[in-house]
Amino acid sequence: MIYKVLIVIPAFNEEKSIAKTCDSIVKYNEVNGTKYDMLVINDGSTDQTEEILSKNGIPHIRLLNNLGIGGAVQTGYKYAALHDYDIAVQFDGDGQHDIAFIDDLVSPIVNDKADMTIGSRFVSKGQSGFKSSFARRTGIKMISAFIKMKTGKRIFDTTSGFRAINKKLIRTFANNYPLEYPEPISTTEALLNGYRVEEVPVEMKEREEGKSSIRLYKNFYYMVNVILNIIIVRKGDLDE
Amino acid sequence: MNSQLQGTLIAVGVVLLLIVTALLAKKRVPVRYSIFWYFASAVIILVGAVPNFIGIFTKLLGFETTSNLVIGIIVGLLLLITLLLTVIVSDQRRKIATLTQEISINKSSEKDIKEQENNNV
């Protein structure tokens, strides 16, 4: 069976890196003989992102308003559900993620070992790459502890935006996906509702261009929000 | 509570009642939200009209004077309204996001994506 895979790339003001990111996927397909489709979600960018996407013929959806990362990624899932994709991969448009690891993310799903895979900087291998700042790592550890408390499973790289989901989760997330702090919250929701979530070691690069959606001065506010959100997640939240 | 404050409260309550009724008549406010505002104006009028009723609660709730309790009640009503508005805003945010997503998907798939997909194959 041939799996239909869609790479969803949320992009907000990524004019400097988006063409390079998409180019890396095209090259990957050429070299490896894969047929991964990609779809950039232009999340209401105010820079030249839209022009670059159109000029280079990159498949994309232009969101009429800026919805934030959660709303943008969910748009990709809606599209994937609509076009009957088997696997959707979330991939950042800022050059942080390395497409070379995509098969590591996709194969546990193809082999039905997991419903969701998370590209993780903190599980074996991948020691040479970018691991983020101390403050950020501490935050990620705290979120990890709360997810463990809530679901019984330890997820190390809770905020990683390099992840893949299977068809069932595509359909679920298309209808129901957190607008705020989507990565840790959707992971918690998936775990609580009995989906199998596995971490896969990947290496990440430091952002080349653009700003992280989690800025330093917002870190504390971010942590409080995420932890509260994790605490209130309940089984059945993903049902309609 | 002195009679001036009583008069002021009744006047404020009645004016609020009239404003809400006028907005409702012009269909600027849906019935479901007007009910809360009628409730608020009823509370204000009641406090002004029956000072003994509220006087009992003054000491009970730890207020020094009845007029302080009146302010407390109004602040409480405002808090409640703000909370309701937060709920409404969150609900609408979710709905707007869904609309944005669906419209954006439809607009895009009509033109470029299909062409681009064909190019890719």
Side-chain angles (χ1 to χ4, degrees), chain A residues 57-65 67 71 74-75 78-79 177 179-180, chain B residues 93-94 96-98 100-105 107-108 112-113 116-117 120:
Chain A
I58 297 165
H60 68 282
I61 288 173
R62 184 178 71 87
L63 289 180
L64 305 173
N65 297 319
L67 294 182
Q74 190 184 28
T75 308
K78 278 181 196 272
Y79 180 90
Y177 195 67
L179 284 179
E180 259 116 31
Chain B
R93 178 168 144 70
R94 176 47 82 181
I96 291 170
T98 308
T100 303
Q101 291 171 333
E102 298 290 342
I103 293 173
S104 305
I105 290 174
K107 271 184 100 173
S108 304
D112 14 57
I113 292 183
Q116 285 162 12
E117 270 182 351
N120 273 357

Side-chain angles (χ1 to χ4, degrees), chain A residues 35 37, chain B residues 114-121:
Chain A
K35 278 196 173 159
D37 289 340
Chain B
K114 271 194 195 125
E115 292 167 25
Q116 285 162 12
E117 270 182 351
N118 293 337
N119 293 343
N120 273 357
V121 170

Side-chain angles (χ1 to χ4, degrees), chain A residues 134-154:
Chain A
F134 174 75
R136 188 80 78 77
R137 283 204 309 275
T138 311
I140 290 171
K141 271 187 191 148
M142 271 177 71
I143 296 171
S144 177
F146 273 92
I147 292 181
K148 165 91 168 135
M149 219 170 66
K150 187 84 190 188
T151 68
K153 184 163 170 91
R154 173 74 74 182

